[in-house]
Amino acid sequence: MEVLVALSDGILVALEPLNLGLAVLGVIVGLFVGAMPGLGSVNGVAILLPFTFVIQSMTGSATSPMIFLAAIYYGAMYGGAISSITLGIPGASTAVATTFDGRPLALKGQADRALVTAAVASFVGGTISTMLFTGFAPMLASVALDFGDPEIFALMLLAFATFVGLGGDDIPKTIFSICIGLVLATVGFDIVSGEPRLIFFDSVNWFSRGIQFLVLAIGVYGIGEMLWTINSSRYGTTMTNVDVSFSRIMAALRSFPEAWKGTTIGSLLGFFVGILPAAGATPGSLMSYGVTKMVSRDPKQFGQGSIDGIAAPEAANNSASTGAMLPMMTLGIPGSPTTAVLLAGMVIWGLQPGPLLFSEQPDFVWPLIGSFYISNIVAVLVNLACIPLFLWMLRMPFTILAPLIFVLSLIGTYAAYQNPYDVWLMVLVGIAAFFLRLLDYPLAPAVLAIVLGPIAEPKLRQSLLFSDGDFSIFFTRPIAGPITVIALILIFLPLLKLIRDKIRGRRAA
């Protein structure tokens, strides 16, 4: 009851005209930032952090500027789906998984349904995670502390286990695709020994910083998709003709319950992954996509325009964004790159994140939590209202859209890292992705491996250093053990099925 009273007081503060206006402005800015390839929530929050000092000087409180930045964070999570669905270019790394099914559904003339599903799933995921945050913050923070290096590696292994099914029935090609992603993820300097790895152009320093994930994502789903569309010539002079009307949007809203499974998995799994330090929304969205496909009755629909394939990552990235705020506020440990920037802002404003924040600064904490609910409502309303504007892009002739995709890919890559070599690399990756697709190699497992590889490798090595090279550490610890066993079962089951089918085929011959 005490929590509900504090929350209601916080919501009333968040609804004050200034705070509500900042929440609306932050959501709109976040939508733009999230939809623009190469920007993302980190860039938006970092760029606008200095502006919040003006807000603080006007209000004399850290609550209003934090509400503004948190609203940008939420808006960016919503906005990433816009360009993923309409253009096939992930607005941010958190929206890569949305591209897998959002783009195919848009090309079938159902972009309105894809956008409605993404918006509503984001709202549900954000709301569920905020409710979990509100009721169980201290307990969940202690659970996150129980996850050491072996537990996080076991969780990453479980995510890799779901990858095996992402490439369809051709398991060898799927495994090969995963290996390509893992190799690309190791380029750069070894984080443990400091030795260079796979740096073939050391004098030019192309790869000394490693290969950035967003470079690969934009190359694969921007340039690669554009080349694939030009080659196939399946869509004529226009991408798709969508008849936007109020009745179609309402029909899409009524059909949303069909995506209950993906939304539920994304909301819960995304929040859980989000509270783990250094995990963030990108692994959460990708893992949710893989798990949803794994438990689906019709996994072959994934990659062809599955509603669950859109709902799962969109619910997960919004849920994870709230989850990442939990260790930042209760432990002083950022759960994602964006919350690291928010943490810096809190310290500058004179706040001390940690276990005592809830008891010593309730006037800051509860209005901020209240703003989470408000920002979610504002974001879903703005998204639904702007769907006709988003669909306008799909009515453009492809002769105009293809150069637009190319230019946005170039600008987005350069804006993210300010490095011309990354732009060239993005183009080369896009061409390579096009040829791999011609050879029927699945690209999704490679993209997912590139994301989780840099997280899994240090956790594996640090765990083995801790255990003097004994792999039993992944089986004997109470949390890591069951997760590792489940992951190994999921990995070997498809392989055993493949071997069994080959044996049966030889006997039949």
Side-chain angles (χ1 to χ4, degrees):
M1 183 61 69
E2 184 178 342
V3 171
L4 293 177
V5 172
L7 177 62
S8 61
D9 291 340
I11 292 177
L12 289 176
V13 174
L15 287 173
E16 292 178 356
L18 176 61
N19 292 332
L20 180 60
L22 288 172
V24 174
L25 178 62
V27 164
I28 294 174
V29 171
L31 284 174
F32 173 78
V33 168
M36 285 296 294
L39 290 182
S41 59
V42 182
N43 302 71
V45 172
I47 291 171
L48 292 170
L49 180 60
F51 175 70
T52 60
F53 302 142
V54 178
I55 301 175
Q56 187 193 23
S57 64
M58 293 171 54
T59 62
S61 169
T63 302
S64 296
M66 191 65 178
I67 287 175
F68 177 63
L69 293 181
I72 295 174
Y73 193 11
Y74 270 105
M77 292 298 107
Y78 278 79
I82 298 170
S83 55
S84 294
I85 293 170
T86 57
L87 299 177
I89 311 174
S93 60
T94 56
V96 169
T98 308
T99 311
F100 300 161
D101 284 278
R103 183 62 173 163
L105 195 62
L107 294 177
K108 292 178 180 179
Q110 300 183 53
D112 52 344
R113 190 183 183 194
L115 289 167
V116 168
T117 300
V120 180
S122 296
F123 171 74
V124 174
T127 302
I128 290 177
S129 61
T130 305
M131 293 171 64
L132 293 172
F133 187 110
T134 303
F136 305 103
M139 182 184 70
L140 291 172
S142 64
V143 170
L145 284 178
D146 290 334
F147 270 71
D149 293 331
E151 285 74 21
I152 293 179
F153 174 76
L155 194 64
M156 297 300 105
L157 185 64
L158 180 61
F160 280 113
T162 67
F163 295 176
V164 177
L166 287 178
D169 296 328
D170 198 334
I171 296 176
K173 285 186 176 180
T174 301
I175 295 175
F176 179 76
S177 182
I178 291 175
C179 291
I180 290 178
L182 291 175
V183 169
L184 292 175
T186 62
V187 174
F189 286 95
D190 190 314
I191 62 172
V192 176
S193 66
E195 293 293 323
R197 300 188 300 189
L198 303 178
I199 300 179
F200 302 112
F201 302 96
D202 188 53
S203 59
V204 187
N205 288 324
W206 273 34
F207 303 124
S208 59
R209 296 183 300 112
I211 299 177
Q212 306 298 326
F213 170 67
L214 205 56
V215 171
L216 296 169
I218 294 178
V220 170
Y221 293 105
I223 303 299
E225 177 69 23
M226 181 190 70
L227 293 175
W228 176 259
T229 305
I230 293 173
N231 176 72
S232 60
S233 300
R234 292 173 295 173
Y235 310 114
T237 57
T238 59
M239 294 301 292
T240 181
N241 291 314
V242 181
D243 181 20
V244 185
S245 64
F246 179 75
S247 60
R248 282 182 64 103
I249 293 176
M250 291 304 298
L253 285 170
R254 286 192 295 269
S255 67
F256 176 77
E258 297 175 13
W260 69 268
K261 185 179 292 185
T263 304
T264 303
I265 293 173
S267 300
L268 299 178
L269 183 58
F271 181 76
F272 175 71
V273 174
I275 67 175
L276 300 178
T282 302
S285 63
L286 296 170
M287 290 174 64
S288 297
Y289 182 89
V291 171
T292 303
K293 178 176 181 178
M294 186 173 60
V295 302
S296 173
R297 293 183 178 179
D298 191 9
K300 292 184 179 179
Q301 287 295 319
F302 282 70
Q304 306 298 320
S306 169
I307 288 297
D308 274 326
I310 299 171
E314 282 304 301
N317 60 38
N318 276 266
S319 184
S321 64
T322 303
M325 300 281 283
L326 193 148
M328 180 199 73
M329 294 178 64
T330 58
L331 303 174
I333 303 172
S336 68
T338 307
T339 54
V341 179
L342 295 175
L343 178 66
M346 291 177 64
V347 173
I348 293 172
W349 298 325
L351 297 169
Q352 184 58 51
L356 300 179
L357 183 67
F358 277 72
S359 58
E360 294 183 352
Q361 299 288 341
D363 293 340
F364 168 80
V365 170
W366 292 108
L368 177 61
I369 295 175
S371 75
F372 294 167
Y373 292 95
I374 303 301
S375 297
N376 260 307
I377 295 173
V378 171
V380 72
L381 292 177
V382 172
N383 257 272
L384 294 176
C386 292
I387 282 177
L389 176 63
F390 303 151
L391 296 180
W392 172 78
M393 290 182 285
L394 288 172
R395 295 199 192 93
M396 287 189 291
F398 190 68
T399 52
I400 297 176
L401 196 58
L404 177 63
I405 292 173
F406 184 72
V407 171
L408 284 176
S409 298
L410 296 180
I411 295 174
T413 304
Y414 186 79
Y417 305 112
Q418 291 84 47
N419 190 336
Y421 299 119
D422 285 330
V423 177
W424 284 108
L425 182 60
M426 181 271 298
V427 175
L428 293 175
V429 166
I431 296 172
F434 167 69
F435 284 108
L436 284 174
R437 195 167 176 183
L438 284 178
L439 297 172
D440 291 327
Y441 279 89
L443 299 178
V447 173
L448 303 180
I450 292 166
V451 173
L452 297 190
I455 301 175
E457 183 197 1
K459 299 304 179 185
L460 170 64
R461 297 176 66 178
Q462 289 162 6
S463 299
L464 293 177
L465 286 173
F466 179 75
S467 65
D468 293 327
D470 187 358
F471 279 90
S472 66
I473 190 172
F474 300 111
F475 297 92
T476 56
R477 290 169 69 102
I479 298 178
I483 298 176
T484 304
V485 170
I486 294 172
L488 292 177
I489 291 173
L490 293 177
I491 289 174
F492 286 111
L493 275 180
L495 295 177
L496 292 174
K497 181 178 180 295
L498 178 66
I499 295 172
R500 184 189 64 187
D501 292 343
K502 286 190 174 181
I503 292 175
R504 287 180 177 177
R506 289 176 182 175
R507 289 177 178 176

